[in-house]
Amino acid sequence: MSGLTPPAEPDVVVMPAAEAYDFEYFRARVDAGLLSRSIAVRVFRMPLLAVPVGGIRRGGWFGVDSLALALAVRDVLAPLNGFPGVRVTWQCAPRSSYAVEWGDRPPATWLDEHERLAFYGLTRPAPALGRLGLGPEPGHHDRVRVSSPADFSCSSAASYDRGPR
């Protein structure tokens, strides 16, 4: 051989939820019970939150750039409670990537932002009061934009599952 080595296994590590970079975002928007059952999944050096389904939260997703990483994240989540039907899907836009989804499949289109928020069990955080308690802080908006694989999917049915788990 020419000294080629096989690619290393993807570096995916489970960490406490509070160590996720997006923990505060979800803490302001997700039921505390679900947050307590969440985990941080570190891909390379950046831990992001994986929130289980339950209560009003019907589905979840975790985006990655490669099929090897998607399969590794799926394998981490599959045996855990709260992550039913873990599957890997291909997303065409906004750029080509993979998503690890769990729970119910999101609809191909959303009626509005409220439907999307409800599907993912997200609530709008209470608006922050200004210094005098008279309104939102400058530069902060009350709108929340939650994306999902269904927002960008060219074929969310393109599953890369190895079979039932």
Side-chain angles (χ1 to χ4, degrees), residues 3-4 7 19 49 87 113 137 152:
L4 296 177
E19 294 186 30
L49 205 61
R87 60 202 172 270
E113 187 172 330
E137 294 179 35
F152 313 116

Side-chain angles (χ1 to χ4, degrees), residues 114-137:
H114 298 289
E115 181 186 31
R116 179 177 32 247
L117 289 171
F119 181 86
Y120 291 108
L122 299 173
T123 58
R124 295 179 186 278
L129 296 179
R131 282 177 274 202
L132 301 176
L134 300 176
E137 294 179 35

Side-chain angles (χ1 to χ4, degrees), residues 68-148:
L69 284 172
L71 293 171
V73 170
R74 185 208 54 199
D75 290 348
V76 163
L77 297 177
L80 302 177
N81 288 331
F83 298 91
V86 178
R87 60 202 172 270
V88 174
T89 58
W90 171 251
Q91 312 304 316
C92 291
R95 62 183 179 81
S96 297
S97 63
Y98 295 89
V100 180
E101 297 177 335
W102 55 91
D104 293 346
R105 290 187 185 275
T109 59
W110 302 100
L111 294 175
D112 58 28
E113 187 172 330
H114 298 289
E115 181 186 31
R116 179 177 32 247
L117 289 171
F119 181 86
Y120 291 108
L122 299 173
T123 58
R124 295 179 186 278
L129 296 179
R131 282 177 274 202
L132 301 176
L134 300 176
E137 294 179 35
H140 288 80
H141 304 283
D142 193 45
R143 288 189 57 124
V144 175
R145 168 82 168 110
V146 178
S147 62
S148 74

